[in-house]
Amino acid sequence: MPEWINISGIREKITDTSAEEVTLSHIDKIRNSRTYGFSAINEKAVEQAKEIDSRKTDSPLAGVPIAIKDNISTLGIPTTCSSKILEGYVPPYNAHVIERLVDAGAVILGKTKMDEFAMGSSTETCCEGPALNPWDTERVAGGSSGGSAAAVASGEAPVALGSDTGGSVRSPASFCGIVALKPTYGTVSRYGLIAYANSLEQIGPMGTCVKDVATVMDVIAGHDPRDSTSIKKDMNYSKSIEKDINGMKIGIPEEYLSDGINPEVQKCVWDAIHKMEDLGATWKSVSLPHTKYALSSYYIIAMSEASSNLARFDGTRYGLRAEGENWHVMASRTRAEGFGDEVKRRILLGTYALSAGYHDKYYLKALKVRTLVKGDFDRALSETDVLMGPTMPDIAFKLGEKIKDPLSLYLTDVNTVPVNLAGVPSISVPCGFADKMPVGLQIIGRHFDEESILRAAYSFEQNTDHHKKRPEGVR
Amino acid sequence: MAYNNPDGVMIGLEIHVQLNRLKTKMFCGCSTQYHNSQPNTHVCPVCMGLPGALPVINEGAVEASMKVGLALNCEVTDRTQFHRKNYYYPDLPKGYQVSQYDYPIVSNGKVVIEGEDGELVVRIRRAHMEEDPGKMVHMGTIDKSRGTLIDYNRSGMALLEIVTEPDLRSPKEARRFLDKLRNILEYLDVFDSNLEGSMRVDANISIGGGSRTEVKNISSHKGAERALIYEIMRQKNLLRRGGVVTMETRHFDEARGVTTSMRTKEEEHDYRYFPEPDLVPLKVKDRTSRLLDTLPELPDARRDRFVSQYGVPEMHAKALTSDIKVADFYEMVAEKVDPKVAATWVADVLKGELNYRDLTVKSFNVEDMVKIIQMVIDDRITDRSGVEVIRTMLDSGGIPMDIVQQKGLMKAEDSVVSSAVDEAIKENAAAVEDYMQGKEQSMNFLVGQVMKKTRGRADPQTVREMIISRIK
């Protein structure tokens, strides 16, 4: 079976041929895609690659093509959040992460599909139709960063950026059999990331192996004065991964392996835990008792923030504008036509949760639960180094299977959202297959301890073969 | 005599002050100097509310707000936080305004003003920071507009909203409070009242313990007084006819001098406040002592100093310090001439003449004022002539000596000097010519001639100036 190409492979190939050649071959793959992960190709990608060739730079991502989720602002490249309401919007500025990638020599391949405004877990709410799962194109790629995951798993981009508000890089990574990291809140600047739920989300790297994810982290992480929630901390992610995990203490949250989890998924996760034991780690059972309230808390907070964040899309300054005899009619019609059902549902629920008379009952209570959930992680991680469990309760579901039943779709986020409430880092790595579909192992760490989870993920990856399996037809 | 407030008027004010002396806006690096610029030229992704842009707190705005709070005798909060105030309006680019809610930066202050019956303490409930929206411009008149344009240059300007308790008892007291507040803000150098829209007032008013109405967006102090006079009259008439005042928001129509209903309580917005997740709470209290040290002398303290240092009457001290530029002007004049006489001339005469012409003290210079006062002190012109010189200068320009000469305002003795000057010039055309060519000694010769003619009664410096002004 043909190989996925990782960053070091790309760099060798560039030495043999050129960055231009590498970019062209990826664009060719995108044009012949079976999974439709991309929503736009960067018209200047080849030009940028040529420029890299002429510069002969050896910066870490020199000539490496990268796919960008469509909620990350890219100067001169349409950025729509997969929503009709941002039709025609071309940002006049680059997000902080894009500036860093470009400085490091990366070539922006294009923009990838997502659930509209990152609201979803399957990329089915994308206004242009879903990205498909390369392992089975009748199944979803996961979401909301489904386009980025599909692109990487299909070999159309060696690495990609996604964003994770409640599991949005980990879910599609798990469903598509790739690696994705949700960094500690405050590690990667959100400047230029179009907000869904500001207090929860982080931009995260996605790739075919742990090392690539760490390499991209080295480039995009770091303090940015334009994001007030960005932390001053210097880290070297790729360097930290190689140390072994001898003596590492792993906690297994009992709530993450509840009856609701597909038994085959449970089996893969247990196999992984035993593998870690073979590698010198120890494990014990821990409890995150407030997990059962996390999902409701998460959705109330996320929808409340979203209801405010999305107020700016009123047809006045950019994007879609409907006709109307006055401003209020124009703005209402623009929003009625521009937003999809799921977005409208979340705006309405969030508006309700913040309204006078309900604010304390919903929003404030959700914040209190958030504090409790955070306490759960603090306690569990005070006696262990990392926590492990399944990223998703099941394998990728069939297209259309859950989209008509929002609640069942929300439930698929049960193991990923507590991490965002707590702000801790988490990585998803392939840990086996169930029903021929990939299964993801989630490794969660303490605040700013990406090192431990990257190291655990890397050791596991280097001592297993799951990440070497490729979807059929991937070149 | 105690003021018994016959109608039971209670007025509380909310004043939006643009911190327009800052260099940059509240949450971005855009310049605040947008007045007289093309629309939408002082904007960036942050103040335009573009998707993905994030706010960063302007520390200068935080400290300016704290200084205002300290000057208004407020307590500084330990921890301050920003909230989002959610509402839709075309001039509000994000669909919410970043403001403060339950953790305002300062609260519980007081300001003493001159009330109807002596000093009145007006309590300050709180002051909080927020951002200004953009500005809408109607194409053509508002009723026959072809459309509305939006200028976001103002968007994101730092505002401080100062809220008083309902301690004011008459429109006059409200206006005095506003004047005093403006004065304090200018002393602090955080605010320039001359810029358009720099201070906007919402006034809450009730009479006889009834429901209050809120009159929104009044743009001048005079407007506030007029709006309140109208609103008291309206509420009284309503009650007289057996009606009830309902809680509502009203708009002040400046041109017609009336208030009209905007919305009733049932139609009030639910702003759905929640903490701004893009900003982190600020610890500010530890800056208090440093900022206290940097506070300039404030109007009341300066007034007291004028009384003790210059021996001027309280009334003059108040008038002089009620505008920082006048106070600065006075102190420069007082350095050169008798401070008490100077106080009378600046506070009573100059200020009155300036007000009458809607001019500021910038229109007059210190040296001219000193010369006029000196002439009066030396008994060369009368008080009345001094006033006339000031009026003439304000209306048609010129320098004091010339005006005195042209209008024949000089007292008898001085007219001797004046004729001597004329004679000396006439008789010594050659010397005048030499001086015009740059021969400095010729001037000494001419002055000497005048001294001779007047037998030494003239002041050589004055003579010199007189000669120069007449031969040029």
Side-chain angles (χ1 to χ4, degrees), chain A residues 73 86 89 92-93 185 190-194 198-199 225-229 304-305 308-309 311-313 316-318 327 335 351 354-356 359 363, chain B residues 45-46 48-57 84 86-96 150 152 270 272-280:
Chain A
S73 303
L86 274 172
Y89 171 63
Y93 75 105
Y185 188 79
R190 292 182 294 112
Y191 190 80
L193 170 67
I194 300 180
N198 330 45
S199 76
R226 292 171 301 182
D227 174 0
S228 305
T229 62
S304 297
E305 290 180 12
S308 172
N309 289 330
R312 69 187 70 196
F313 304 107
T316 307
R317 288 160 300 273
Y318 43 76
W327 185 81
R335 294 169 67 80
T351 303
L354 286 175
S355 294
H359 183 277
Y363 181 72
Chain B
V46 177
M48 281 293 284
L50 290 189
L54 297 173
V56 176
I57 298 170
R84 289 188 185 177
N86 294 285
Y87 66 96
Y88 286 98
Y89 212 64
D91 62 10
L92 193 67
K94 299 187 292 290
Y96 58 83
I150 312 172
Y152 292 99
D270 174 0
R272 306 191 311 277
Y273 281 99
F274 75 102
E276 164 59 285
D278 288 331
L279 296 171
V280 290

Side-chain angles (χ1 to χ4, degrees), chain B residues 124-135:
Chain B
I124 305 295
R125 186 180 296 167
R126 58 185 278 167
H128 67 255
M129 295 179 277
E130 60 186 26
E131 55 179 344
D132 218 348
K135 198 179 137 195

Side-chain angles (χ1 to χ4, degrees), chain B residues 354-378:
Chain B
L354 291 169
N355 281 347
Y356 178 71
R357 290 167 179 76
D358 241 347
L359 293 171
T360 69
V361 72
K362 270 193 205 158
S363 323
F364 216 81
N365 75 57
V366 173
E367 289 69 39
D368 289 341
M369 192 72 240
V370 169
K371 265 179 207 149
I372 294 167
I373 296 170
Q374 194 60 56
M375 281 194 281
V376 173
I377 290 173
D378 294 348

Side-chain angles (χ1 to χ4, degrees), chain A residues 122-326:
Chain A
S122 64
T123 315
E124 287 170 287
T125 68
C126 169
C127 69
E128 301 171 295
L132 308 179
N133 194 310
W135 297 87
D136 176 353
T137 52
E138 291 188 358
R139 290 178 188 270
V140 300
S144 65
S145 315
S148 285
V152 171
S154 300
E156 294 160 14
V159 282
L161 291 188
S163 68
D164 191 312
T165 313
S168 282
V169 297
R170 290 162 289 155
S171 146
S174 172
F175 281 2
C176 294
I178 63 165
V179 184
L181 173 71
K182 196 293 283 186
T184 307
Y185 188 79
T187 304
V188 178
S189 169
R190 292 182 294 112
Y191 190 80
L193 170 67
I194 300 180
Y196 157 30
N198 330 45
S199 76
L200 297 161
E201 61 210 10
Q202 277 287 287
I203 291 169
M206 307 169 82
T208 57
C209 62
V210 176
K211 193 162 191 175
D212 283 4
V213 163
T215 304
V216 175
M217 261 310 269
D218 281 334
V219 172
I220 63 170
H223 181 246
D224 174 14
R226 292 171 301 182
D227 174 0
S228 305
T229 62
S230 155
I231 306 288
K232 283 181 185 148
K233 224 176 178 92
D234 273 334
M235 305 269 266
N236 188 325
Y237 299 93
S238 48
K239 211 171 185 177
S240 67
I241 63 175
E242 289 179 26
K243 235 176 95 192
D244 65 45
I245 58 162
N246 201 18
M248 186 179 266
K249 283 181 272 182
I250 298 168
I252 310 299
E254 55 198 44
E255 293 79 5
Y256 286 14
L257 285 163
S258 65
D259 297 343
I261 311 290
N262 176 340
E264 298 230 24
V265 170
Q266 292 193 39
K267 174 79 170 75
C268 290
V269 170
W270 278 116
D271 287 349
I273 293 164
H274 295 134
K275 186 78 203 173
M276 302 301 267
E277 227 177 349
D278 294 345
L279 296 169
T282 59
W283 68 269
K284 70 178 207 175
S285 202
V286 295
S287 176
L288 302 171
H290 297 94
T291 300
K292 57 178 176 287
Y293 307 114
L295 203 66
S296 334
S297 163
Y298 165 81
Y299 274 101
I300 288 168
I301 292 169
M303 290 175 185
S304 297
E305 290 180 12
S307 71
S308 172
N309 289 330
L310 272 59
R312 69 187 70 196
F313 304 107
D314 58 12
T316 307
R317 288 160 300 273
Y318 43 76
L320 186 74
R321 176 187 286 199
E323 291 295 319
E325 58 269 30
N326 62 45

Side-chain angles (χ1 to χ4, degrees), chain B residues 142-403:
Chain B
I142 191 156
D143 38 324
K144 269 199 254 168
S145 182
R146 285 181 296 122
T148 303
L149 301 170
I150 312 172
D151 177 4
Y152 292 99
N153 280 349
R154 192 179 77 179
S155 173
M157 284 292 284
L159 288 184
L160 189 65
E161 181 175 335
I162 299 163
V163 183
T164 76
E165 295 292 346
D167 292 341
L168 298 156
R169 301 164 300 175
S170 69
K172 199 205 282 174
E173 286 184 345
R175 182 168 179 182
R176 284 191 183 149
F177 175 83
L178 292 170
D179 288 343
K180 176 105 186 212
L181 178 65
R182 171 173 59 198
N183 192 28
I184 293 172
L185 295 167
E186 296 203 319
Y187 267 70
L188 293 170
D189 196 26
V190 296
F191 170 69
D192 179 352
S193 64
N194 295 313
L195 297 172
E196 187 208 342
S198 52
M199 205 194 248
R200 305 190 292 277
V201 179
D202 299 343
N204 287 283
I205 177 162
S206 69
I207 61 175
S211 291
R212 66 184 162 84
T213 59
E214 183 180 17
V215 185
K216 279 240 177 241
N217 239 332
I218 312 167
S219 59
S220 71
H221 297 192
K222 204 197 256 176
E225 189 176 10
R226 283 173 61 216
L228 287 166
I229 290 170
Y230 177 86
E231 191 55 22
I232 290 170
M233 186 188 73
R234 188 191 68 84
Q235 292 191 11
K236 271 165 78 176
N237 286 342
L238 192 62
L239 293 173
R240 195 175 304 135
R241 288 196 303 268
V244 190
V245 176
T246 49
M247 206 157 149
E248 61 178 347
T249 303
R250 299 180 68 84
H251 163 77
F252 178 55
D253 181 337
E254 199 118 31
R256 293 196 294 145
V258 300
T259 66
T260 51
S261 183
M262 272 169 76
R263 54 177 183 260
T264 60
K265 190 170 182 276
E266 290 73 50
E267 300 165 276
E268 278 298 322
H269 291 299
D270 174 0
Y271 291 117
R272 306 191 311 277
Y273 281 99
F274 75 102
E276 164 59 285
D278 288 331
L279 296 171
V280 290
L282 285 178
K283 289 258 183 199
V284 290
K285 203 166 195 167
D286 56 353
R287 305 184 203 178
T288 309
S289 62
R290 176 173 59 80
L291 289 173
L292 267 175
D293 288 344
T294 67
L295 281 192
E297 183 183 40
L298 293 168
D300 289 355
R302 198 169 194 186
R303 176 198 64 204
D304 295 347
R305 178 168 64 80
F306 279 15
V307 172
S308 61
Q309 180 179 343
Y310 301 119
V312 304
E314 172 97 13
M315 189 188 67
H316 280 160
K318 262 187 202 161
L320 292 170
T321 53
S322 67
D323 177 340
I324 187 169
K325 293 184 202 87
V326 173
D328 291 346
F329 181 91
Y330 167 72
E331 291 213 82
M332 286 188 272
V333 174
E335 262 178 37
K336 305 268 176 61
V337 294
D338 180 332
K340 277 195 225 167
V341 182
T344 310
W345 280 92
V346 177
D348 289 346
V349 182
L350 180 64
K351 241 189 123 180
E353 297 298 332
L354 291 169
N355 281 347
Y356 178 71
R357 290 167 179 76
D358 241 347
L359 293 171
T360 69
V361 72
K362 270 193 205 158
S363 323
F364 216 81
N365 75 57
V366 173
E367 289 69 39
D368 289 341
M369 192 72 240
V370 169
K371 265 179 207 149
I372 294 167
I373 296 170
Q374 194 60 56
M375 281 194 281
V376 173
I377 290 173
D378 294 348
D379 209 21
R380 287 152 63 202
I381 55 172
T382 61
D383 284 0
R384 221 157 129 184
S385 300
V387 174
E388 195 170 341
V389 173
I390 291 173
R391 285 183 183 157
T392 311
M393 289 178 68
L394 289 172
D395 292 335
S396 34
I399 64 166
M401 285 311 296
D402 274 358
I403 296 166

